[in-house]
Each structure stands twice: as C-alpha cells, then as structure tokens.
Amino acid sequence: MSDDLLKKVISHAKEYGYIFPSSEIYDGLSATYDYGQNGSELKNNIKEYWWKSMVQMHENIVGIDASIFMHPTTWKASGHVDAFNDPLIDNKDSKKRYRADVLIEEHVEKIRQKIDKDVAKGLKRFGDDFNEEEFRKTNPNVLRNIAKIEDIEQKFKDSLGKDDLPAVKELIEELGIACPVSGSKNWTDVRQFNLMFSTEIGSLADGSSTIYLRPETAQGIFVNFLNVQKTGRMKIPFGIAQIGKAFRNEIIARQFIFRMREFEQMEMQFFVKPGTQKQWFEYWKETRIKWHKALGLGEENYRFHDHLKMAHYADAATDIEFNFPMGFKELEGVHSRTDFDLKAHEEYSGKKLQYFDPQENKSYVPYVIETSIGLDRMFLAILSNSLKEETLEDGSSRTVLALPPALAPTKAVIMPLTKKDGLPEKAMEVMNELKYDFNCQYDEKDSPGKRYRRQDALGTPYCIMIDHQTLEDNTVTIRDRDTMKQDRVSITDLRGIIGEKISFSGLLR
Ligand code: GAP
C-alpha cells in the first residue's frame, strides 16, 4: 500500500490547501514545504493539543519561546559541533547517498517482517489453538531470525560505539545490502557528516562569526534553566517546554514532511533529582504514548523502539514509532539525558547551573528526561491515518478526511440551501453567532451534495444547512461528517452540539 497511500496523501494535501511544495513557482526546493490555509490551522490545533496537555495541565511545567540563533558556544557545549553526525555511504553506481544506520535498520526490519509472516502462518494453521508467545519462543525459523537480528544489532552498536566506520561498511557488505536504485553492492567508505547549518553573523566582538541554526529546540531550554527556575520559583521535579523551528542539513531528506531540513519540534525537558531518572523515564514513556493513543488513530499503530545508537547525551532512549504509510517510523523520542547538558553548559559558561534542594539541604545539577516530538511528523501521522476512501450503501464512494474533530481546521460550515429567499442572509447570521467560539466557514457554491463531499474531503466535522424551514422556526439541519446523518436542531443548540464534539477535554481527561 505504502507508496500509493503516501502519493494520495501528498496530492490530497495539495488539492485541499493543507501542504504545498515550497516556492513552487520556481519548481520548489527539495524537502521544503509550506503549510496552506488548512494545514496551518491543523498545525496550530496540534500545537494546542500538545501545549494544553504538557504545560497547562501540569502545574510543574511551564513554557518558553527561545530564539533560533544562540551563542555559538552553546553547540560546542552540547556536543553538536563534534558529534552531531550521520554515518553516510554512497552507492558508486547509482551515485545515491544513504545513511548507513538506516540501511542496516531497514535490513533488520525485513527480517522482522519474515518473523511476522511465520507467526501469521502459524495462526492460520492452528486457528484458535495458536499460542503466539509459545510459537515465538520455540519455532526454529523464528528463533534463527531473532538470533540474526540480535547479532546484527550488537555488531552495529559495537562498531558505532567505537566510531569504527570501516566495520560499519563491512557489516553492510556482510549483510549483502544492495542499493535500492541500482541494485549493486558497490559502496564507498562510510564517513561522518555534520548536520548543522551554519551562517555568518556580523557583530561578534571576538571575531568568531560563525553561528548555527539550532538543530534542536532543547538547548534554548537548558540555557534558560536558571532563569525559569528562579523567576518561576520552580521546585524539582519540574519541566520547561517549548515549540519551535529546528534545522538540520539532512542528506536524505525525503518522504514528504517526514524528514525535512526545516521542521518544528515540541520539546519538554523535565528536571529531576539524580537517581530518580529511571522512574521518570518510565513515567514519561507511558504519559506520552497515552497522549498519542487518546487521538483515536488506532492503538495498533504505535510501538516503542529502544535505541541501539544512543545520542551522545543519553543513558536511555526510546522512540515512539507510528505506522506511517512507509511503515513504522519514529514519531517522538523520549530520552534520559542525564546531567550531560547542564554540566557541559556549566563548564563552557563558567556559571553554576544547579538547584538547591531544600529537602536534601544541598545543591546539585539535575538530571533530565526529555520528550521530543516532531510537529510535522505528527501532522503526517494524523493526515495519512485520517484519509479514507469509503464505499457507501448505494455503491457510490466518497473521500473523507476523518480528522479527530478537536484538530479539524474548520469545525462547521454554514450553508444556505439556495442563494435566494433570504437564506444567505440567515446563514451569515448563524455564522456570525458561531464564529466567536469556532472556526467556521460559509459556503453557498454548488449543489448541497457537492458541498457535503467537499467538506468531507476537507475534514470538517459538521455541515449546517439553512433552509426555508429555518426562516419559519429557527431550526437547521446539522450533518455529521462521519455518520453522514442529518438532524434537525434549533439554532440555539448549535453551540452546545459543536462544542461537545470538538472539545479537547474529551481527549485530555
Ligand atoms: N532534542 C532531541 C532531539 O532533537 P531527535 O530524535 O533528533 O531528538 C526529535 O528529534 C524529533 O524531531 C523526532 O522524533 C522527529 O519527530 C523530529 N525530527 C527530527 N528530525 C527531523 C526532520 N529532519 N524532519 C522532521 N522531523 C524531524
């Protein structure tokens, strides 16, 4: 399904004003996209969903908005200047460039799929008597493949841990990995490539004029740790959250908005007492997966994936993966970052970045648990999961974007049945009533059937039709996007009906 579905998502996103290729009139810029009139609404609603749950619903978490440009020493201290690299390899025949770790992970994924196939066969053969757990523990094929995966992962982890790039190349050759484009196994050596974008700034007194576009928003939080702790009188454990742009010179930027060079992150750093990080790591893993699952995109579409290749700052890390059209891929990271960042900033800045713990009666550098989610990836997860082709009872089909109603760009469209008899004026009256509480639109073009279909494809939860009866008794019909059922209700009830359906509280409770 994958490629086809992704293509459908991309063309739907463009046709309905969600996402356009950036600077398209100049033929676009690769891996850069613009959010259109509906896309920016959806994006804002995702941000609100995250901000409400992380900041407003935790009395010990506050939000900030730090600048994109930061003092260049920040990135020396954080380790990004020296260690924010991807191991790259080129295929000499196709001239295509790949991330060595991704080639190996994709190979492992294929072996995993073989295991799943064997399990599916077992289920088919034994039906209700099938014991999957037992089968996974005893079936020789499955055991052989599990051992293969463990062996590959161990070798890969060892060679990256020692920065032994020739060993990574050897592993790729040993596994017989071929270039998906040329089919050949004619590879260059593996080498490291730094992902930060640099630019020049004119006014640094010390003459060093290179600054970086931030590759993560997290560092803006670390350098403000004391400012926020002191002014907010925050007591450990506490968190600082922010939403903002990040930039990475990704070599293989592809798969639509999944991997871009300019993207947005929603990150939270949670400062804890040293020694309690394991417990908080588990807490945030559970809290974050619950937040995802509450959206109703299907529990089976999420899984955890523990990191083999740990970032330079982490002592434990897991990805929350989502079943994108391209398969399961990273959506969010939960990282136990130890005291790496605050200690490094202490060292480089010469400032104490410590917390005085009144209960312990001593100062210490807190440990940090980070939750970091890509806003654009969240957008893609929601958009691709919501796009559906349905066959209706009468045999016709419809395209519906079944977005979670709380996130839908437009909550209700107000439509006059015809453009005459005072119906447009009445419709505008209803619109003017509702627009203070909900993002509404007015639509009078085309037949009602066509208008309904357009709103289904746009993901609008409700269509409100103003007809001749409305003029007599102040009632309207309200059509539900998902059931397509129409009910006649009083105009005065509309606010309550829409409000209940689109409220965040149902998701957050
Ligand atoms: N502060 C930790 C950090 O940045 P990361 O795993 O490198 O960790 C966190 O990134 C999240 O940011 C990822 O889970 C992903 O959702 C998103 N992300 C990372 N690189 C991205 C890219 N090139 N395009 C879109 N989203 C990206």
Side-chain angles (χ1 to χ4, degrees):
M1 69 157 184
S2 54
D3 266 8
D4 272 1
L5 177 55
L6 188 61
K7 275 187 198 145
K8 270 190 199 144
V9 171
I10 296 170
S11 81
H12 194 89
K14 186 170 178 210
E15 185 177 347
Y16 288 94
Y18 278 88
I19 300 175
F20 308 123
S22 165
S23 36
E24 196 185 8
I25 56 167
Y26 296 105
D27 296 334
L29 178 68
S30 80
T32 325
Y33 292 91
D34 296 341
Y35 286 83
Q37 66 278 23
N38 291 312
S40 48
E41 291 284 346
L42 173 55
K43 211 176 176 198
N44 282 340
N45 294 341
I46 299 171
K47 287 189 206 178
E48 195 182 342
Y49 178 45
W50 185 85
W51 193 265
K52 264 191 198 303
S53 90
M54 297 297 280
V55 179
Q56 294 172 351
M57 296 186 58
H58 284 97
E59 86 284 352
N60 59 347
I61 301 182
V62 291
I64 63 166
D65 184 13
S67 60
I68 287 172
F69 289 142
M70 299 181 70
H71 193 284
T73 310
T74 309
W75 306 111
K76 194 72 197 149
S78 69
H80 283 82
V81 170
D82 296 321
F84 194 51
N85 300 318
D86 272 349
L88 295 185
I89 190 164
D90 290 45
N91 182 269
K92 289 183 189 162
D93 298 315
S94 67
K95 311 274 184 259
K96 290 274 173 204
R97 184 161 289 175
Y98 299 92
R99 268 174 55 182
D101 55 329
V102 171
L103 284 180
I104 292 169
E105 273 163 21
E106 282 174 359
H107 185 84
V108 166
E109 185 56 33
K110 277 187 198 147
I111 304 177
R112 270 208 189 98
Q113 282 167 7
K114 277 190 196 157
I115 297 177
D116 291 344
K117 254 191 194 158
D118 282 333
V119 171
K121 268 193 213 156
L123 176 64
K124 206 170 163 197
R125 190 158 153 221
F126 298 111
D128 286 346
D129 296 334
F130 184 62
N131 180 338
E132 181 175 335
E133 204 183 325
E134 192 59 24
F135 185 83
R136 283 184 185 270
K137 276 197 220 145
T138 53
N139 180 275
N141 275 350
V142 172
L143 290 178
R144 200 172 39 250
N145 280 324
I146 290 177
K148 251 192 213 168
I149 292 177
E150 285 171 356
D151 181 52
I152 297 170
E153 291 185 335
Q154 193 58 47
K155 277 186 183 157
F156 181 51
K157 191 176 169 190
D158 289 348
S159 34
L160 272 189
K162 287 184 272 173
D163 210 17
D164 185 353
L165 300 180
V168 176
K169 183 182 179 188
E170 258 167 47
L171 182 59
I172 288 175
E173 287 172 340
E174 186 187 313
L175 297 174
I177 296 175
C179 166
V181 175
S182 67
S184 96
K185 298 171 189 167
N186 193 7
W187 297 107
T188 62
D189 289 342
V190 178
R191 66 217 172 282
Q192 297 285 20
F193 177 87
N194 193 286
L195 297 181
M196 281 198 296
F197 279 108
S198 62
T199 185
E200 303 297 312
I201 195 160
S203 60
L204 278 193
D206 61 7
S208 122
S209 58
T210 299
I211 60 164
Y212 299 99
L213 297 186
R214 67 181 178 197
E216 60 170 13
T217 59
Q219 297 305 324
I221 293 177
F222 289 123
V223 299
N224 279 298
F225 162 72
L226 267 195
N227 285 337
V228 175
Q229 192 270 319
K230 291 221 152 85
T231 56
R233 294 188 290 168
M234 309 300 289
K235 290 198 174 56
I236 272 184
F238 74 90
I240 306 178
Q242 92 165 310
I243 300 176
K245 291 259 181 175
F247 303 83
R248 296 182 188 176
N249 195 1
E250 299 280 3
I251 297 313
I252 310 127
R254 59 163 100 107
Q255 290 171 329
F256 195 32
I257 54 171
F258 181 82
R259 193 180 303 287
M260 294 190 289
R261 300 200 170 95
E262 174 184 342
F263 57 99
E264 245 175 302
Q265 290 185 315
M266 306 191 284
E267 296 200 301
M268 192 276 302
Q269 312 295 323
F270 198 68
F271 300 92
V272 305
K273 195 165 128 187
T276 63
Q277 71 271 21
K278 215 172 158 39
Q279 152 205 341
W280 284 112
F281 179 68
E282 292 305 322
Y283 169 84
W284 281 110
K285 260 177 87 169
E286 289 318 309
T287 306
R288 292 304 304 148
I289 196 106
K290 210 171 137 205
W291 179 89
H292 284 286
K293 289 183 175 172
L295 271 184
L297 306 185
E299 304 220 342
E300 69 287 1
N301 288 320
Y302 299 90
R303 71 182 187 195
F304 285 116
H305 173 75
D306 295 333
H307 279 208
L308 289 173
K309 179 196 167 205
M310 216 83 78
H312 55 273
Y313 46 73
D315 74 352
T318 196
D319 293 339
I320 296 174
E321 293 189 338
F322 182 76
N323 193 7
F324 286 98
M326 315 78 82
F328 275 95
K329 301 248 177 219
E330 176 186 349
L331 169 60
E332 169 158 7
V334 181
H335 311 124
S336 173
R337 289 181 82 125
T338 67
D339 54 2
F340 174 88
D341 302 87
L342 288 180
K343 271 216 166 123
H345 288 305
E346 273 198 330
E347 192 189 315
Y348 278 81
S349 68
K351 309 271 170 21
K352 250 190 167 186
L353 299 177
Q354 302 194 356
Y355 172 76
F356 177 74
D357 190 327
Q359 269 154 5
E360 301 278 318
N361 200 25
K362 66 171 188 191
S363 295
Y364 53 76
V365 177
Y367 270 45
V368 170
I369 306 299
E370 166 185 75
T371 69
S372 173
I373 171 170
L375 175 54
D376 312 86
R377 284 193 192 176
M378 187 66 194
F379 190 108
L380 180 58
I382 294 167
L383 195 70
S384 57
N385 186 276
S386 302
L387 185 59
K388 298 183 174 31
E389 285 293 332
E390 285 181 358
T391 306
L392 305 178
E393 274 172 15
D394 64 2
S396 66
S397 66
R398 72 160 181 163
T399 302
V400 58
L401 194 60
L403 296 169
L407 303 182
T410 305
K411 306 304 185 197
V413 165
I414 327 295
M415 311 172 165
L417 183 65
T418 64
K419 285 192 224 169
K420 45 185 205 263
D421 304 334
L423 298 182
E425 290 77 7
K426 185 69 185 172
M428 282 311 292
E429 215 177 272
V430 174
M431 164 106 181
N432 287 334
E433 262 303 300
L434 295 176
K435 73 180 180 191
Y436 295 98
D437 295 305
F438 313 112
N439 190 21
C440 297
Q441 289 205 346
Y442 175 83
D443 187 5
E444 61 174 24
K445 269 197 224 111
D446 300 323
S447 69
K450 265 196 180 163
R451 281 184 271 173
Y452 286 148
R453 285 289 182 277
R454 185 159 61 235
Q455 294 307 325
D456 289 345
L458 277 163
T460 309
Y462 282 127
C463 290
I464 294 161
M465 186 65 82
I466 312 302
D467 54 19
H468 292 92
Q469 192 177 329
T470 311
L471 302 179
E472 286 162 24
D473 62 6
N474 255 0
T475 63
V476 294
T477 63
I478 179 163
R479 174 185 179 273
D480 183 292
R481 175 196 71 196
D482 301 323
T483 61
M484 296 191 292
K485 216 171 133 259
Q486 294 179 40
D487 291 319
R488 184 161 279 280
V489 303
S490 162
I491 288 176
T492 49
D493 291 338
L494 283 175
R495 185 176 289 118
I497 296 169
I498 301 169
E500 197 183 324
K501 175 118 174 171
I502 62 109
S503 109
F504 277 108
S505 60
L507 300 177
L508 292 167
R509 257 177 230 282

